[in-house]
Structure formats: C-alpha cells, structure tokens
Amino acid sequence: MKPIEEYLANVGPDKVDPVILGYLCNLQEIAVHSPEIASSIVKELASQRKRIKLIASENYCSPSVQFAMGNLLTDKYAEGMPGHRFYAGNENVDAIESRAAELACTLFGAEYANVQPHCGADANLLAYWAILSTRVENPALKKYGQTNLYKLTDEQWQELRADLGRQKLLGLDYYSGGHLTHGYRYNISARMFDVYSYSVSEETGLLDYNAIERQALEIKPLILLAGYSAYPRKIDFRRMREIADKIGAVFMVDMAHFAGLVAGKVFAGDYDPVQHAHIVTSTTHKTLRGPRAGLVLSTNEFAEALDKGCPLTMGGPLPHVIAAKAVAFREASTPEFQRYAADIVENAQVLAASCARNGMHILTGGTDNHLFLVNVRSFGLTGRQAESALYDCNITLNRNSLPFDPNGPWYTSGLRIGTAAVTTLGMKSTEMEELGAIIALVLKNTKPAGDNKAKYITDPAAKTQAIAQVEKLLSQFPVYPALDLDFLTKSFH
Ligand SMILES: *Cc1c(COP(=O)(O)O)cnc(C)c1O
C-alpha cells in the first residue's frame, strides 16, 4: 500500500488531518522521481525532533505558511509591481502581492511595504539603493540640469558614480552584534559605502546614545543604521531618530531578528522602529515565523525607488513565497501571536536567569528580547568548543563573537541563545529553568583538549545525563506534532 492509502485506511475518512495528508501527498509525489529528496526531508524532521533548537535566528513556521509555498505559484514571472508588470497573466499574483503588502502595512503601521525581497540581505541591498537613488541621485541630476538619469553623458555618469561611492553609512559594529550586511568588510555594503561603525560600551555592553550622537555629528553619514543579529537589549529608536535628524541622515532600521516582537507589540512606543525610522528592513522567518524571505517598509518618500526593486537590485519576485508572507502576516496579526511574542521574551529572560544561576556569565546581565549572549571564557572554552559540545548533547545553538572578542569571528568566545523556536513548541518557564541547568551541566563538564581552539572533551556521564534530559523535554514538545515520524521514516527511506 502507498503511504497515503495506508494513512487513510488507518484513520478512516472523517478523521483525516489536512496537515498529515498534505505532507504525505507532498512526499509521496516527490518520491516518485526523487526518493532521496523525500528521504532527506523526513530525515530533517527526525533531526529537528531530536535536537532542541536555540538558534536565535530560526523558528518553526506553520503548515499553512509551508503549504502556501509549495505550489504552482512558483511558475509565474512577475517582474514589476502589481498592476504594472513586464509579464502577462499576473492578475492573481497581483492580488496576492497587493494583499501581502497591505497586510504588512497594517501589521506594522507602515506607509509603504515592498514584499518582494527574497531574503534579509536582499531587503538591505534594495533599501540602500533606494536611499542612494532618492537622496543622492536627485542632487546630481540637478547639478547637470537634467531630469532624466538616462540622459547623462558617460562622463557625468562617472562623476555620479563617484558621488554615490563616497556616501557614508554608520551602523552597529559586527562585533557588537551588527549584521554582515551592515558594512562588514566581506559584504558588498562595505564596497558601496564609506563605512563607519559604532560599538557597544566596553563597560556596560550597552549602546551609548550620547557616544553614537557624537560620532554621527562628526561623520555626518547619509544613513544612520540601527538593528542587530546579536544584541540582547531594546533600542530607543526615538532617540536614534533624533540623532539622525540633527544631521539630516536617513534613519534605517534592520529589524530582521525582532520583527516578531514588533508585530506582537512587545516593542512599542520608543522601541517600535516603524514609528521612528524612514526605512525598515526585515526578514520574515526569524521571530516573525513566516517563510524564509525579506521585507522593506518605508515612508512614502522612498516608495517610488523601492517600487523599482526589480530591476534595481532584484530579479523576478517569488509569488509562492509572497503568498506565504501574506499568510504569515495574517497569523502575526492575531492576539495569539501577541501572546507568543510576549512569551518569547519571558522565556528568554527566565532562561538567561537560569543560566546565570547555574554559573554562566550573561552579557549585560540578561535580555529584553528573544536572545542573550553567554561568555564561555569563564569555562576556559572557545565559542566553537562550547557550540560543538552542546550539539553533541542535542542542543543546537550558535557560537557568536562578543564585543571586543579576543578569539575572532571563527572560534569566538560566546554563545548566542534564542527562544523563538522553543516558544513555538509551547515551552514555558519550567522548561526554561531546566534547560538552563542542562546547558550549564554540559559547559561545566567540558574541557579544552590541548591547545586546539576547536577540540574538547565532555565528561561522558554528564553527556549521557544531558542527552537523556533533552530527550525527555522534547518528548513533551515535539516539532510538528501532527507528523508521525516512524511512519514517515518507514514510508520514505
Ligand atoms: C538574518 C539577518 C539578515 C539576513 O537575512 P537573510 O535572510 O539571511 O539574508 C539581515 N540583517 C540582520 C540584522 C539579520 O539578523
């Protein structure tokens, strides 16, 4: 019997679960020609069931989000914007994209939304070019008495290009929690701008707004950028906007990590970036819990340039992923999601406190958001050793550079721990308390092996105990609980 038939025979026609059946149809059809791919998808489920996920940038999105992506929408080319496409036959894609953009505007209280970026890095690249073409090209055009860019001579273009290349970006330093796309030297952003960065205070580990203001007044950047991948505290966006206004800079916020906390109204008032920034970029797959993709929100000033996202920096949009974004924005507009967002932060605070009580060093003493940072040098370990030792015990998280880290970006001295995914599973304070104790148990019982910054040994008894505790925890909170892993493994091996 085929898996679908077997399932239907087992449950009977009125007990059919659309999620289970949806997955079975999906896998069974894939397996016709690509059994190895179907098998890998099931193995990934097995791996996610076995390990507790504390990666701060990951989550588990809903089956509706997943199903919105897995269909014929992927066949459509839709270059351009709704109502203004370079391809025929886009009525339905127009309806989907317009709806997604409208939902994003309502959810975040934004004037304008572009839902086309394929990922967060895409969103940032688009935002940078939209800012450059809105704030820089126009003066250049005026200079040459032109109204149309295409009429510039080659020499004028050279000059304009030089003008663009000399623009300044001031963002959070990578080692203080900023993202690669904020001007890190191996990212294109570092080649597009003269990059300057601000750091957290060496004493407190916190942003020092007066220091940022002094730096901004001196540098006078075109763009003042806030947002992070690894900073455990709230940012006062009202204060940052004041700084930007003093120098006429564009205030841009990259909320890739904490978009779910903004949507869920945990970050409100001074801490809501959309109320204060000119332009806000995001991913949709981290705390926001949607498909793997990006988003740009802005004031109307940048709408015209952002509408040219394709071909400015992007190719054809992904209509199936845009459909999934619409589903996710809908989900994030509910009271349940607001509770979810509040729970993420509470869980992060309880987990950080539990880690601290169990002898771990937590940067800034705790967290206001979904993540916190641990300095593992107190255990004599590098971040790399700590990450691997925990992975051996079925705890997945990542090592992270700490501010002013002596171990560099590869080995690092830190761990970044996030609670978005475990909160989706339904875990609460009791589980966070226990988890803190398990993490500390592993770290206390792990020692470096010789001088190698990657090698380590964990005491076998501690390891056995940690694995057993993780297994017990996860058995109460399975990932995608509707899915019967044994049945899927047997059916698609
Ligand atoms: C994750 C992240 C991104 C990049 O997102 P991708 O979808 O991986 O391109 C950009 N900015 C910040 C702050 C992030 O944390």
Side-chain angles (χ1 to χ4, degrees):
M1 242 193 313
K2 294 274 195 204
I4 297 173
E5 288 161 24
E6 198 178 333
Y7 169 67
L8 292 177
N10 282 343
V11 291
D14 31 302
K15 290 257 173 57
V16 171
D17 179 333
V19 173
I20 300 176
L21 190 59
Y23 258 89
L24 284 178
C25 292
N26 176 317
L27 290 166
Q28 186 170 310
E29 187 58 22
I30 293 171
V32 172
H33 292 293
S34 309
E36 76 287 8
I37 298 298
S39 163
S40 289
I41 295 172
V42 175
K43 283 185 187 137
E44 180 56 28
L45 175 66
S47 165
Q48 302 240 4
R49 280 266 172 97
K50 184 171 130 188
R51 299 194 169 91
I52 205 150
K53 177 150 89 178
L54 295 171
I55 295 183
S57 50
E58 292 189 9
N59 209 330
Y60 307 104
C61 68
S62 72
S64 358
V65 166
Q66 295 178 17
F67 292 169
M69 276 185 281
N71 58 61
L72 78 178
L73 289 172
T74 189
D75 295 333
K76 272 309 295 170
Y77 243 117
E79 288 178 341
M81 293 300 283
H84 187 78
R85 303 283 191 189
F86 295 89
Y87 277 76
N90 271 305
E91 302 78 32
N92 301 306
V93 174
D94 280 4
I96 290 168
E97 184 174 341
S98 302
R99 183 74 184 126
E102 180 188 300
L103 286 165
C105 285
T106 312
L107 177 62
F108 292 106
E111 287 177 6
Y112 169 91
N114 187 314
V115 295
Q116 292 188 357
H118 308 338
C119 63
D122 244 23
N124 283 342
L125 193 58
L126 174 56
Y128 290 147
W129 277 108
I131 294 169
L132 286 172
S133 47
T134 306
R135 289 275 176 112
V136 182
E137 283 185 2
N138 296 339
L141 286 177
K142 263 193 230 125
K143 184 158 113 192
Y144 300 117
Q146 290 287 6
T147 51
N148 189 337
L149 259 187
Y150 302 101
K151 292 189 182 158
L152 294 181
T153 65
D154 285 353
E155 290 73 32
Q156 289 170 341
W157 259 113
Q158 294 296 348
E159 203 180 318
L160 176 57
R161 191 143 52 185
D163 274 354
L164 288 176
R166 278 195 299 270
Q167 299 302 318
K168 296 172 184 168
L169 172 72
L170 175 60
L172 181 62
D173 175 43
Y174 177 74
Y175 291 95
S176 290
H179 190 256
L180 300 167
T181 55
H182 300 180
Y184 190 66
R185 66 193 148 122
Y186 297 124
N187 182 261
I188 189 73
S189 51
R191 311 282 170 229
M192 288 168 64
F193 294 98
D194 280 350
V195 174
Y196 298 83
S197 51
Y198 53 89
S199 307
V200 295
S201 146
E202 205 159 351
E203 282 145 58
T204 61
L206 300 174
L207 292 176
D208 175 345
Y209 298 103
N210 294 333
I212 296 171
E213 176 166 317
R214 281 194 299 276
Q215 229 180 325
L217 290 176
E218 188 184 323
I219 294 162
K220 298 203 174 50
L222 173 72
I223 304 175
L224 177 64
L225 176 57
Y228 53 80
S229 303
Y231 179 71
R233 295 294 176 179
K234 289 196 258 202
I235 297 178
D236 185 341
F237 296 115
R238 190 192 48 76
R239 178 80 175 92
M240 291 294 281
R241 173 62 186 256
E242 267 172 24
I243 298 172
D245 283 347
K246 283 194 179 166
I247 48 170
V250 174
F251 179 40
M252 170 171 161
V253 175
D254 179 350
M255 62 170 184
H257 256 265
F258 52 88
L261 305 185
V262 179
K265 313 282 181 234
V266 173
F267 285 177
D270 293 351
Y271 306 101
D272 174 355
V274 187
Q275 283 183 34
H276 301 284
H278 295 95
I279 194 157
V280 176
T281 56
S282 188
T283 62
T284 53
H285 51 274
K286 298 182 183 173
T287 50
L288 193 53
R289 208 164 65 177
R292 179 163 301 284
L295 170 71
V296 182
L297 304 170
S298 79
T299 55
N300 287 329
E301 180 189 357
F302 300 96
E304 199 185 328
L306 289 168
D307 273 350
K308 304 214 166 58
C310 162
L312 186 64
T313 61
M314 297 183 300
L318 311 176
H320 55 310
V321 181
I322 293 174
K325 286 183 223 189
V327 173
F329 297 150
R330 244 338 231 290
E331 291 177 357
S333 311
T334 58
E336 291 76 38
F337 193 88
Q338 294 188 9
R339 261 197 304 282
Y340 166 64
D343 286 347
I344 295 177
V345 177
E346 194 185 326
N347 276 345
Q349 289 170 341
V350 175
L351 181 54
S354 169
C355 287
R357 241 192 340 275
N358 285 288
M360 292 164 60
H361 176 106
I362 312 299
L363 272 72
T364 79
T367 176
D368 301 326
N369 58 23
H370 61 297
L371 66 84
F372 60 94
L373 296 164
V374 180
N375 186 340
V376 294
R377 281 202 300 271
S378 58
F379 297 102
L381 300 170
T382 64
R384 172 87 198 263
Q385 290 160 330
E387 175 194 273
S388 305
L390 286 162
Y391 190 72
D392 294 344
C393 298
N394 295 332
I395 296 171
T396 317
L397 42 69
N398 35 11
R399 65 185 184 279
N400 213 95
S401 298
L402 301 180
F404 319 102
D405 199 320
N407 277 329
W410 180 250
Y411 294 109
T412 81
S413 304
L415 294 176
R416 185 183 67 165
I417 299 185
T419 52
V422 289
T423 307
T424 296
L425 296 183
M427 292 189 190
K428 294 268 165 56
S429 311
T430 320
E431 291 76 34
M432 295 305 108
E433 295 282 357
E434 188 177 346
L435 206 44
I438 305 174
I439 296 169
L441 171 76
V442 178
L443 295 179
K444 279 178 189 162
N445 287 285
T446 299
K447 301 272 162 293
D451 288 341
N452 190 308
K453 286 184 176 182
K455 300 231 169 86
Y456 58 94
I457 349 168
T458 305
D459 172 66
K463 189 166 155 180
T464 308
Q465 186 188 335
I467 290 173
Q469 281 180 291
V470 167
E471 191 179 341
K472 182 152 160 287
L473 250 186
L474 278 180
S475 68
Q476 299 159 327
F477 299 92
V479 176
Y480 298 114
L483 303 179
D484 179 343
L485 181 59
D486 292 337
F487 178 62
L488 291 176
T489 306
K490 172 183 79 93
S491 308
F492 306 98
H493 47 78

Short mmCIF file of all heavy atoms in Angstrom, two decimals, residues 181-214:
data_model
loop_
_atom_site.label_atom_id
_atom_site.label_comp_id
_atom_site.label_asym_id
_atom_site.label_seq_id
_atom_site.Cartn_x
_atom_site.Cartn_y
_atom_site.Cartn_z
N THR A 181 25.65 42.49 6.56
CA THR A 181 25.19 43.43 5.53
C THR A 181 25.20 44.88 6.00
O THR A 181 24.76 45.75 5.29
CB THR A 181 23.76 43.07 5.08
OG1 THR A 181 22.93 43.03 6.25
CG2 THR A 181 23.72 41.72 4.38
N HIS A 182 25.69 45.13 7.20
CA HIS A 182 25.76 46.49 7.71
C HIS A 182 27.15 47.08 7.53
O HIS A 182 27.57 47.92 8.31
CB HIS A 182 25.37 46.55 9.19
CG HIS A 182 23.96 46.06 9.46
ND1 HIS A 182 23.41 46.03 10.71
CD2 HIS A 182 23.00 45.60 8.62
CE1 HIS A 182 22.16 45.56 10.64
NE2 HIS A 182 21.90 45.30 9.38
N GLY A 183 27.87 46.58 6.53
CA GLY A 183 29.17 47.17 6.25
C GLY A 183 30.36 46.32 6.65
O GLY A 183 31.49 46.81 6.71
N TYR A 184 30.12 45.04 6.91
CA TYR A 184 31.23 44.13 7.22
C TYR A 184 32.10 44.00 5.97
O TYR A 184 31.58 43.97 4.85
CB TYR A 184 30.67 42.77 7.61
CG TYR A 184 31.71 41.81 8.18
CD1 TYR A 184 32.32 42.08 9.38
CD2 TYR A 184 32.03 40.64 7.50
CE1 TYR A 184 33.24 41.20 9.91
CE2 TYR A 184 32.96 39.75 8.03
CZ TYR A 184 33.55 40.03 9.23
OH TYR A 184 34.48 39.16 9.75
N ARG A 185 33.41 43.91 6.17
CA ARG A 185 34.26 44.10 5.00
C ARG A 185 34.10 43.07 3.90
O ARG A 185 34.43 43.34 2.75
CB ARG A 185 35.72 44.23 5.41
CG ARG A 185 36.31 42.98 6.00
CD ARG A 185 37.64 43.34 6.66
NE ARG A 185 37.81 42.46 7.79
CZ ARG A 185 38.85 41.66 7.94
NH1 ARG A 185 39.82 41.66 7.06
NH2 ARG A 185 38.93 40.87 8.98
N TYR A 186 33.58 41.88 4.20
CA TYR A 186 33.41 40.89 3.14
C TYR A 186 32.04 40.97 2.47
O TYR A 186 31.71 40.15 1.64
CB TYR A 186 33.64 39.47 3.67
CG TYR A 186 35.05 39.30 4.18
CD1 TYR A 186 35.30 38.88 5.47
CD2 TYR A 186 36.14 39.60 3.35
CE1 TYR A 186 36.61 38.75 5.94
CE2 TYR A 186 37.43 39.47 3.80
CZ TYR A 186 37.66 39.05 5.10
OH TYR A 186 38.94 38.93 5.55
N ASN A 187 31.22 41.95 2.87
CA ASN A 187 29.91 42.11 2.23
C ASN A 187 29.96 43.31 1.28
O ASN A 187 30.69 44.27 1.50
CB ASN A 187 28.84 42.34 3.30
CG ASN A 187 27.45 42.47 2.71
OD1 ASN A 187 26.93 43.57 2.53
ND2 ASN A 187 26.84 41.35 2.38
N ILE A 188 29.14 43.25 0.23
CA ILE A 188 29.12 44.31 -0.79
C ILE A 188 28.82 45.69 -0.17
O ILE A 188 29.25 46.72 -0.70
CB ILE A 188 28.11 43.96 -1.91
CG1 ILE A 188 28.20 44.91 -3.10
CG2 ILE A 188 26.69 43.94 -1.39
CD1 ILE A 188 29.41 44.70 -3.94
N SER A 189 28.10 45.71 0.96
CA SER A 189 27.78 47.00 1.59
C SER A 189 29.05 47.78 1.93
O SER A 189 29.07 49.01 1.89
CB SER A 189 26.94 46.78 2.86
OG SER A 189 27.56 45.83 3.70
N ALA A 190 30.13 47.05 2.25
CA ALA A 190 31.39 47.71 2.59
C ALA A 190 32.05 48.31 1.36
O ALA A 190 32.92 49.18 1.46
CB ALA A 190 32.33 46.73 3.27
N ARG A 191 31.66 47.82 0.16
CA ARG A 191 32.21 48.38 -1.08
C ARG A 191 31.33 49.49 -1.61
O ARG A 191 31.76 50.31 -2.40
CB ARG A 191 32.32 47.28 -2.16
CG ARG A 191 32.98 46.01 -1.67
CD ARG A 191 34.49 46.14 -1.62
NE ARG A 191 35.07 45.00 -0.91
CZ ARG A 191 35.96 45.11 0.06
NH1 ARG A 191 36.39 46.28 0.47
NH2 ARG A 191 36.43 44.04 0.65
N MET A 192 30.05 49.49 -1.21
CA MET A 192 29.13 50.52 -1.69
C MET A 192 29.29 51.82 -0.95
O MET A 192 29.01 52.89 -1.48
CB MET A 192 27.68 50.05 -1.49
CG MET A 192 27.23 48.96 -2.41
SD MET A 192 25.65 48.28 -1.85
CE MET A 192 24.57 49.70 -2.00
N PHE A 193 29.67 51.74 0.34
CA PHE A 193 29.71 52.94 1.18
C PHE A 193 31.08 53.11 1.80
O PHE A 193 31.85 52.16 1.91
CB PHE A 193 28.71 52.78 2.35
CG PHE A 193 27.27 52.75 1.93
CD1 PHE A 193 26.61 51.54 1.79
CD2 PHE A 193 26.58 53.92 1.67
CE1 PHE A 193 25.28 51.50 1.41
CE2 PHE A 193 25.25 53.90 1.29
CZ PHE A 193 24.60 52.68 1.16
N ASP A 194 31.35 54.33 2.25
CA ASP A 194 32.41 54.54 3.23
C ASP A 194 31.78 54.14 4.55
O ASP A 194 30.87 54.84 5.03
CB ASP A 194 32.82 56.01 3.29
CG ASP A 194 33.76 56.35 2.14
OD1 ASP A 194 34.21 55.43 1.44
OD2 ASP A 194 34.02 57.55 1.96
N VAL A 195 32.24 53.05 5.12
CA VAL A 195 31.55 52.50 6.29
C VAL A 195 32.20 52.95 7.60
O VAL A 195 33.42 52.91 7.75
CB VAL A 195 31.53 50.95 6.23
CG1 VAL A 195 30.94 50.38 7.51
CG2 VAL A 195 30.72 50.48 5.04
N TYR A 196 31.36 53.37 8.52
CA TYR A 196 31.79 53.69 9.88
C TYR A 196 30.90 52.89 10.82
O TYR A 196 29.76 52.59 10.47
CB TYR A 196 31.60 55.18 10.18
CG TYR A 196 32.44 56.06 9.29
CD1 TYR A 196 32.00 56.40 8.01
CD2 TYR A 196 33.67 56.54 9.72
CE1 TYR A 196 32.77 57.20 7.18
CE2 TYR A 196 34.45 57.35 8.90
CZ TYR A 196 34.00 57.67 7.63
OH TYR A 196 34.76 58.46 6.83
N SER A 197 31.42 52.54 11.99
CA SER A 197 30.54 51.80 12.88
C SER A 197 30.64 52.29 14.31
O SER A 197 31.66 52.83 14.73
CB SER A 197 30.84 50.30 12.81
OG SER A 197 32.20 50.08 12.99
N TYR A 198 29.55 52.11 15.02
CA TYR A 198 29.55 52.39 16.47
C TYR A 198 29.52 51.05 17.19
O TYR A 198 29.05 50.05 16.65
CB TYR A 198 28.36 53.28 16.88
CG TYR A 198 26.99 52.79 16.45
CD1 TYR A 198 26.24 51.93 17.25
CD2 TYR A 198 26.44 53.21 15.24
CE1 TYR A 198 24.98 51.50 16.86
CE2 TYR A 198 25.18 52.77 14.84
CZ TYR A 198 24.45 51.93 15.65
OH TYR A 198 23.21 51.49 15.26
N SER A 199 30.06 51.05 18.41
CA SER A 199 30.14 49.81 19.19
C SER A 199 29.30 49.97 20.44
O SER A 199 28.92 51.08 20.79
CB SER A 199 31.57 49.54 19.63
OG SER A 199 32.42 49.57 18.52
N VAL A 200 29.10 48.86 21.13
CA VAL A 200 28.50 48.97 22.46
C VAL A 200 29.58 49.46 23.42
O VAL A 200 30.78 49.38 23.12
CB VAL A 200 27.94 47.61 22.95
CG1 VAL A 200 26.78 47.17 22.08
CG2 VAL A 200 29.03 46.54 23.00
N SER A 201 29.16 49.97 24.55
CA SER A 201 30.12 50.45 25.55
C SER A 201 30.91 49.28 26.12
O SER A 201 30.34 48.22 26.41
CB SER A 201 29.36 51.17 26.66
OG SER A 201 30.01 50.96 27.90
N GLU A 202 32.22 49.49 26.25
CA GLU A 202 33.07 48.40 26.73
C GLU A 202 32.72 48.02 28.17
O GLU A 202 32.83 46.86 28.55
CB GLU A 202 34.55 48.82 26.61
CG GLU A 202 35.46 47.62 26.50
CD GLU A 202 36.82 47.94 25.89
OE1 GLU A 202 37.01 49.08 25.40
OE2 GLU A 202 37.68 47.06 25.93
N GLU A 203 32.27 49.02 28.95
CA GLU A 203 31.94 48.73 30.36
C GLU A 203 30.61 48.02 30.51
O GLU A 203 30.49 47.01 31.19
CB GLU A 203 31.82 50.03 31.17
CG GLU A 203 33.10 50.67 31.57
CD GLU A 203 32.94 52.18 31.54
OE1 GLU A 203 32.05 52.70 32.25
OE2 GLU A 203 33.68 52.84 30.78
N THR A 204 29.57 48.57 29.84
CA THR A 204 28.22 48.07 30.11
C THR A 204 27.74 47.07 29.08
O THR A 204 26.78 46.35 29.32
CB THR A 204 27.21 49.24 30.12
OG1 THR A 204 27.25 49.85 28.80
CG2 THR A 204 27.57 50.28 31.15
N GLY A 205 28.35 47.04 27.90
CA GLY A 205 27.86 46.18 26.82
C GLY A 205 26.62 46.75 26.16
O GLY A 205 25.99 46.09 25.33
N LEU A 206 26.24 47.98 26.54
CA LEU A 206 25.01 48.58 26.01
C LEU A 206 25.33 49.65 24.98
O LEU A 206 26.45 50.18 24.95
CB LEU A 206 24.22 49.22 27.16
CG LEU A 206 23.80 48.27 28.28
CD1 LEU A 206 23.16 49.06 29.42
CD2 LEU A 206 22.85 47.21 27.76
N LEU A 207 24.34 49.99 24.16
CA LEU A 207 24.50 51.12 23.25
C LEU A 207 24.58 52.39 24.09
O LEU A 207 23.83 52.56 25.05
CB LEU A 207 23.30 51.22 22.30
CG LEU A 207 23.16 50.09 21.28
CD1 LEU A 207 21.86 50.27 20.48
CD2 LEU A 207 24.35 50.07 20.32
N ASP A 208 25.49 53.28 23.70
CA ASP A 208 25.64 54.55 24.41
C ASP A 208 25.20 55.64 23.43
O ASP A 208 25.93 56.00 22.52
CB ASP A 208 27.11 54.70 24.81
CG ASP A 208 27.40 56.05 25.45
OD1 ASP A 208 26.56 56.97 25.32
OD2 ASP A 208 28.48 56.19 26.05
N TYR A 209 23.96 56.12 23.60
CA TYR A 209 23.37 57.03 22.61
C TYR A 209 24.15 58.34 22.52
O TYR A 209 24.24 58.93 21.45
CB TYR A 209 21.90 57.28 22.93
CG TYR A 209 21.09 56.00 22.85
CD1 TYR A 209 20.69 55.33 24.01
CD2 TYR A 209 20.77 55.43 21.62
CE1 TYR A 209 19.98 54.15 23.94
CE2 TYR A 209 20.07 54.23 21.54
CZ TYR A 209 19.67 53.60 22.70
OH TYR A 209 18.98 52.42 22.63
N ASN A 210 24.70 58.79 23.64
CA ASN A 210 25.46 60.05 23.57
C ASN A 210 26.72 59.85 22.74
O ASN A 210 27.10 60.72 21.96
CB ASN A 210 25.82 60.54 24.97
CG ASN A 210 24.57 60.93 25.75
OD1 ASN A 210 23.55 61.31 25.14
ND2 ASN A 210 24.62 60.79 27.06
N ALA A 211 27.36 58.69 22.89
CA ALA A 211 28.56 58.41 22.10
C ALA A 211 28.19 58.28 20.62
O ALA A 211 28.90 58.77 19.75
CB ALA A 211 29.23 57.13 22.61
N ILE A 212 27.06 57.63 20.34
CA ILE A 212 26.62 57.49 18.94
C ILE A 212 26.35 58.88 18.36
O ILE A 212 26.72 59.17 17.23
CB ILE A 212 25.35 56.60 18.84
CG1 ILE A 212 25.66 55.18 19.32
CG2 ILE A 212 24.82 56.57 17.42
CD1 ILE A 212 24.43 54.28 19.48
N GLU A 213 25.75 59.72 19.16
CA GLU A 213 25.44 61.07 18.68
C GLU A 213 26.72 61.84 18.35
O GLU A 213 26.82 62.47 17.29
CB GLU A 213 24.62 61.83 19.72
CG GLU A 213 24.37 63.27 19.31
CD GLU A 213 23.29 63.94 20.14
OE1 GLU A 213 22.25 63.32 20.41
OE2 GLU A 213 23.49 65.11 20.51
N ARG A 214 27.71 61.74 19.23
CA ARG A 214 28.98 62.45 18.96
C ARG A 214 29.60 61.95 17.67
O ARG A 214 30.05 62.73 16.82
CB ARG A 214 29.96 62.24 20.13
CG ARG A 214 29.68 63.12 21.33
CD ARG A 214 30.87 63.12 22.31
NE ARG A 214 31.16 61.79 22.85
CZ ARG A 214 30.51 61.26 23.91
NH1 ARG A 214 29.56 61.95 24.52
NH2 ARG A 214 30.83 60.06 24.34
#
